[in-house]
Amino acid sequence: MDISLTVWLVTVAALCVLVAADFFIGRKPHDVSIREAGIWTAVWVVLACLFGVGLLVVAGGGPAGEFFAGYITEKSLSVDNLFVFVLIMGKFAVPSQYQQRVLMVGVIVALVLRAAFIAAGAAIISAFSWVFYLFGAFLIWTAWKLIQDARKGGHEEEYEENKLLKSIEHRFGVADRYHGTKLWIEENGKRVMTPMLVVMLAIGSTDVLFALDSIPAIYGLTQDPYIVFTANAFALMGLRQLYFLIGGLLRRLVHLSYGLSVILGFIGVKLVLHALHESGVHVPEIGIPFSLGFIVLVLAVTTVTSLWAARRQEREGAGRGA
C-alpha cells in the first residue's frame, strides 16, 4: 500500500493514545481479576478486528487478509512468549499486584524494539531481495529448535539471567526486597536498583529475542511495513491482560510449541518460494487466503489436542492418586 506520512503519523499517534490509556487504567497496583482481564482482552481484540475491517473497506481484501494473517501469527507467538514471562515473574518473585506494571513496561519496550526491527527489515528487503532466503532459513531453523525445546520440556526450565543483566546488577547493585513500584532507592548511602527494575530489564531483554522470531515471520506474510507494524502493535496490545486471563491455561497448552513450529516452518518455506520467484525461478507461491486458513487451522488443532492431552494427564494423575 502507498501510505502517506500523514496516515503513518495518525496511526502512531492513535497507538500512543491507546498505550497511554492502557497505562492510565493500570496505573494503580492491584490484583487483576479474571473479569477485568477478560473485558480488556476482548476490547483489544475488537479494536484489532475493526482496524482489519477498515483496511478491507479502504484498501481491499489483500491488505486486510495480510493484516489478519500477521495479527493471528504475532498474537500466537506472543502467547508462547507468555511462558517466558511466567518464568521471569517466578524467578524474581514479583508480587501479584505489581505484575501488571512490569508487563506494561515490557509491552512498551517491545513496541519500540519491534518498530526499530521493522524499519531495519524494510530497508534491508528494499535493498537486497535475497534476504528472503535468510529469513526463510532462519524461520525453518527456529521451527526445528522449537520442536527440540518442546521435546525437552523447554517451558519447564528455570529462567536464567543473561550476561548483560548480570553485569548491570553487579555494576549498580540490587536491593534485597521490593519497594512498591520504585525503580531506584538509597541504601547505605548508595543508589541501587530495586528488584522491580531488574525484572523490567529481564523482560525487556527477552523482547529482543522475541522480535528476532516475529519480524521475519510476518515479513513472510506481507512486505508492507505499515501492515507489519500495525499487526505487531495490535498483537502486543492487550498482552498484559491476556497474561492474567490465560495464566492458568498456559500450562494446559502443551502442544502450542509444536503448532508454532509448524506455522514458522510453513512461513519459512513460503519465504524461500517467494525468494526463488523473485530470482526468476518458476515456482508456485502460497497466497494469503491459504496462509490465513492454514494458520487458523493449525492453531485450532493445537488448542484442541493440547486441552485433550492436559485433561488426559489430569485423569491419569487422579487415577494414580486414588
Side-chain angles (χ1 to χ4, degrees), residues 16-37:
C16 288
V17 170
L18 291 175
V19 171
D22 192 28
F23 186 83
F24 178 80
I25 292 167
R27 72 190 187 284
K28 184 178 180 181
H30 67 282
D31 291 322
V32 179
S33 66
I34 295 296
R35 181 175 181 273
E36 178 186 347

Side-chain angles (χ1 to χ4, degrees), residues 104-234:
M104 186 69 237
V105 173
V107 168
I108 293 174
V109 172
L111 280 171
V112 173
L113 288 174
R114 294 195 188 196
F117 274 95
I118 289 165
I124 293 172
I125 288 172
S126 63
F128 310 103
S129 60
W130 50 261
V131 77
F132 286 114
Y133 288 111
L134 297 181
F135 280 2
F138 176 74
L139 289 180
I140 293 172
W141 175 81
T142 303
W144 173 249
K145 188 173 181 296
L146 266 178
I147 293 177
Q148 297 299 102
D149 290 344
R151 288 178 175 176
K152 296 176 182 177
H155 287 314
E156 300 300 324
E157 298 176 2
E158 185 179 352
Y159 170 78
E160 291 292 337
E161 300 174 45
N162 55 54
K163 292 182 179 179
L164 176 61
L165 187 58
K166 288 181 178 179
S167 65
I168 293 175
E169 291 179 23
H170 179 73
R171 169 67 178 80
F172 295 100
V174 182
D176 58 358
R177 64 183 178 86
Y178 286 87
H179 293 262
T181 57
K182 292 181 179 179
L183 305 182
W184 296 89
I185 63 165
E186 291 285 342
E187 192 174 79
N188 298 324
K190 180 183 178 183
R191 188 173 174 82
V192 299
M193 300 188 300
T194 66
M196 176 66 74
L197 179 55
V198 175
V199 71
M200 287 180 177
L201 292 175
I203 286 184
S205 61
T206 57
D207 282 332
V208 176
L209 300 178
F210 296 159
L212 290 176
D213 291 340
S214 64
I215 298 305
I218 195 169
Y219 268 119
L221 297 168
T222 176
Q223 283 82 60
D224 192 313
Y226 183 76
I227 296 177
V228 172
F229 175 71
T230 52
N232 265 277
F234 278 108

Side-chain angles (χ1 to χ4, degrees), residues 28-60:
K28 184 178 180 181
H30 67 282
D31 291 322
V32 179
S33 66
I34 295 296
R35 181 175 181 273
E36 178 186 347
I39 290 173
W40 284 107
T41 297
V43 167
W44 292 117
V45 171
V46 169
L47 287 174
C49 292
L50 289 175
F51 181 84
V53 171
L55 277 180
L56 176 64
V57 173
V58 175

